Amino acid sequence: SEMRHRVLQLILLSSLLAPSAARAEPQRTVDGPVLRLGEILDAPAGLEGFELGPSPAPGRSRLVQRDELARRLNEAGIDAKTVKLPSVIRVTRSARHLSASELALAARPALSSRLPTGARLISLSASKGATVAKNVEVVSVRVPKLPRRIGQHTLTITAELGELGAVTSRVPLRAVIALDERATKPLVQRGARLDLVIEHGRIRVGASAIALADADAGEVVTFKVEATKKIVRARVARADRAVVVQ
């Protein structure tokens, strides 16, 4: 009958529109910045450390297709047919959240070690936290040139976060630093005598030189070589040594 025909049409239409039972793709969680074959599947002996490229950003995930895996293996001269590859796999990068107070606390030792004699860290704070990879830590801090004035000063420093020796992100921090008379003096004063070092490969030559300007560690200024009277530019390494800039 016509009614039965319409019911059958509705049932067929419903079956077409209803979501099919999708099979969830396998998932793997990785920690490091580089995705390795052994982290996402049972790799043959010797291929566990094969690099597939960068991992997703911390806390993010992406789908890795069989074609991508096969292409990378073949490009490296490895027959992809010898490896059992999934059709697709979801890779998630592990992450942890550092609160603003945790960031400041983690950066405090690195900042304190960078301050000169006569400088004292009073407070250090971050305006917000950050989501980072599981193994990320503060590897260094960037400190601006300190004022040549006694008293308290508010500065913006930069904490560099990274893993495996590589910087992956930078976070600004607010530092309040107190300076006494010792901290207002440059590490090297104009007229000071330093050991000037010229490095060329494994060859190292030293000479005595006079600083022609005030400078702090890491700054490049001019020096006069005492023996030859030649003017050169060199980067201050410490109070008694500078390295010539080529």
Side-chain angles (χ1 to χ4, degrees):
S1 68
E2 183 178 352
M3 179 63 69
R4 183 180 178 185
H5 181 67
R6 287 185 177 181
V7 170
L8 290 174
Q9 284 183 322
L10 287 174
I11 293 175
L12 177 61
L13 182 62
S14 298
S15 66
L16 292 174
L17 296 178
S20 59
R23 186 178 179 182
E25 68 272 359
Q27 301 188 32
R28 294 290 186 276
T29 300
V30 299
D31 296 332
V34 177
L35 187 60
R36 303 180 190 279
L37 189 64
E39 293 178 311
I40 63 174
L41 53 83
D42 295 328
L47 290 181
E48 297 90 344
F50 181 79
E51 295 185 1
L52 299 169
S55 299
R60 305 295 295 273
S61 69
R62 75 177 181 92
L63 291 175
V64 179
Q65 306 286 344
R66 175 187 291 155
D67 290 346
E68 177 185 347
L69 295 173
R71 184 180 68 255
R72 290 191 177 276
L73 288 168
N74 290 331
E75 288 174 351
I78 302 169
D79 186 358
K81 295 179 181 179
T82 63
V83 182
K84 186 178 181 181
L85 302 175
S87 59
V88 65
I89 186 168
R90 180 171 294 280
V91 177
T92 302
R93 179 85 177 275
S94 62
R96 62 191 176 108
H97 182 76
L98 293 176
S99 66
S101 59
E102 288 173 329
L103 274 173
L105 184 63
R108 180 176 283 269
L111 174 57
S112 297
S113 68
R114 291 288 309 278
L115 296 179
T117 301
R120 179 170 56 89
L121 178 60
I122 295 176
S123 67
L124 184 63
S125 59
S127 61
K128 60 182 180 179
T131 298
V132 299
K134 180 179 178 180
N135 299 317
V136 158
E137 58 185 11
V138 176
V139 295
S140 63
V141 295
R142 291 185 177 182
V143 183
K145 190 177 180 66
L146 298 179
R148 301 285 189 203
R149 302 188 307 277
I150 296 174
Q152 288 189 14
H153 303 277
T154 300
L155 305 172
T156 298
I157 70 157
T158 302
E160 297 185 324
L161 310 179
E163 57 184 328
L164 302 178
V167 174
T168 55
S169 60
R170 294 177 173 86
V171 179
L173 301 175
R174 178 179 179 272
V176 178
I177 298 173
L179 305 179
D180 65 23
E181 185 178 358
R182 296 169 298 171
T184 62
K185 296 178 180 179
L187 180 66
V188 173
Q189 294 185 331
R190 177 185 175 92
R193 180 177 286 104
L194 280 75
D195 291 329
L196 201 64
V197 177
I198 302 174
E199 297 178 336
H200 186 72
R202 296 184 178 181
I203 300 175
R204 178 177 296 180
V205 179
S208 179
I210 302 298
L212 300 182
D214 294 343
D216 286 315
E219 292 185 329
V220 176
V221 294
T222 54
F223 291 83
K224 179 187 284 186
V225 181
E226 289 192 291
T228 64
K229 308 304 180 185
K230 184 178 181 180
I231 305 299
V232 298
R233 287 167 51 82
R235 188 182 307 278
V236 174
R238 56 179 191 242
D240 59 352
R241 183 182 178 187
V243 179
V244 173
V245 176
Q246 301 294 334

